Amino acid sequence: MIDLLNHHLADILDLGLQAKQAHWNVKGPNFIALHELFDKVAEELEEFTDDIAERAVELGGVAQGTIQAVSKNSRLKAYPLDLASGKGHIARLSGALARFGASARAAIDTAARFSDADTADLFTGVSRGVDKLLWMVEAHTQAKE
Ligand SMILES: [Fe+2]
């Protein structure tokens, strides 16, 4: 369970920084909407990040949240440094949210298989929250640029 939590800790810290990267660098006609949306994504991920890290420690482990550990352990694709368009950021961030959401959903089953209902419940909340963020980001793919 501790390993499962730490893998997701690395992923979600990476994901949060990807949302910030989008928040800082997005440009174009939908600037203010996207700038604010990407910040909201980063903010909401922070709460899940804390829950995941603290659960690893509650179970007797060490939360591996340093930038070096995250860089080594994250399973997300590296976020490009040269994106500017809203479309580009939406596509990359949606992909990362979907990838992380799928992994959180799989973690629900893993935790349940090991009869850890509390960790399963934690991942259920994370999965539901990430689904909502994914919907909010993807909804912008229909916006004209
Ligand atoms: Fe900001």
Side-chain angles (χ1 to χ4, degrees):
M1 279 308 109
I2 294 165
D3 280 351
L4 183 74
L5 288 157
N6 267 318
H7 273 121
H8 286 85
L9 178 60
D11 291 348
I12 199 169
L13 281 164
D14 188 358
L15 186 56
L17 279 173
Q18 295 194 9
K20 274 294 193 183
Q21 180 71 14
H23 166 69
W24 293 320
N25 291 291
V26 70
K27 290 186 168 69
N30 297 313
F31 170 77
I32 199 67
L34 292 176
H35 177 70
E36 284 174 3
L37 173 68
F38 295 149
D39 208 26
K40 182 184 161 71
V41 170
E43 221 171 79
E44 294 206 4
L45 290 172
E46 248 174 59
E47 199 177 315
F48 300 137
T49 304
D50 224 46
D51 291 341
I52 292 169
E54 287 168 6
R55 179 88 188 143
V57 179
E58 285 159 27
L59 295 178
V62 172
Q64 298 179 8
T66 64
I67 200 79
Q68 291 78 10
V70 171
S71 170
K72 193 171 131 229
N73 296 331
S74 173
R75 297 162 298 181
L76 299 184
K77 269 204 248 168
Y79 201 83
L81 291 172
D82 57 355
L83 285 183
S85 77
K87 240 185 201 164
H89 283 295
I90 286 165
R92 288 307 294 243
L93 200 57
S94 304
L97 282 163
R99 167 90 179 70
F100 180 75
S103 180
R105 257 185 309 283
I108 300 169
D109 294 337
T110 307
R113 226 180 10 258
F114 285 89
S115 304
D116 185 343
D118 297 294
T119 300
D121 179 63
L122 186 157
F123 279 117
T124 304
V126 171
S127 168
R128 187 171 51 242
V130 169
D131 274 355
K132 188 174 170 188
L133 294 174
L134 179 58
W135 161 62
M136 293 175 81
V137 173
E138 274 185 336
H140 286 78
T141 56
Q142 291 166 346
K144 289 199 173 73
E145 286 198 40

